[in-house]
Amino acid sequence: MRGGTSKGVFFKLSDLPAAAQTPGAARDRLLLRVIGSPDPYAKQIDGMGGATSSTSKSVIVGPATEPGHDVDYLFGQVSIDSAFVDWSGNCGNLSAAVGPFAIASGLIAADKLPRDGIATIRIWQANINKTIIAHVPMTNGEVQETGDFELDGVTLSVVSEDPAIWRKLFTDFTDWADRHDLSAAARTFALNLFCWPESNRAGIFWAPTDG
């Protein structure tokens, strides 16, 4: 699934094998195998990774364990050439895809979702214990996947041969840094296209993977 200019393999926590539903070696082995690491040739031919740091990523989304949130979100940066998954940080790009994935995976109660309009999804970023609020556009009861935003760095469209056109999705990162030093928080995100210090809001963009 694509988020901004990154791509990762997304998992619903309950879909993982029992041994991989908790942190540890079994989970890491599974993700390494799915992504295709370690690969001494740095190609990830035997996996779903794209052989770059921005495409060798994994995400696990599950029911919220933190009060006041809708889902938990874990991010794993998978090494390409070594058997290592880094759980120490967050990916700002893929943060934008967590809300749409949670909705599509049935993790959000139907009564929380508008048929048309904006669904507000409160996400607990479990790697670093922070809150992300995703504002996900909905049409006819489903996540809206198309729009009129063109994203630099993405070459293919989701729906046609036209230049890539996505739906803009705003994501709030709350309490990530002092409001007067939001730039420090912004540097932890792989992509931060817009930043409003007065609201701690970042404009990050999500699009489904084209095949």
Side-chain angles (χ1 to χ4, degrees), residues 72-150:
D72 281 5
Y73 150 48
L74 270 169
F75 166 70
Q77 180 70 50
V78 182
S79 174
I80 296 172
D81 59 359
S82 63
F84 177 67
V85 182
D86 185 359
W87 298 101
S88 66
N90 179 47
C91 174
N93 277 299
L94 294 188
S95 295
V98 173
F101 177 83
I103 293 171
S105 299
L107 288 166
I108 307 300
D111 60 5
K112 279 208 62 174
L113 301 174
R115 178 171 175 79
D116 298 288
I118 301 296
T120 300
I121 310 299
R122 292 184 61 86
I123 301 163
W124 181 246
Q125 214 303 327
N127 300 75
I128 53 178
N129 298 331
K130 296 293 182 180
T131 298
I132 300 170
I133 304 172
H135 304 277
V136 183
M138 304 284 292
T139 301
N140 296 325
E142 297 182 352
V143 174
Q144 183 175 331
E145 297 182 350
T146 59
D148 58 3
F149 175 74
E150 296 186 18

Side-chain angles (χ1 to χ4, degrees), residues 5 38 43 60 63 97 117 138:
T5 55
K43 301 291 186 182
I60 300 173
M138 304 284 292

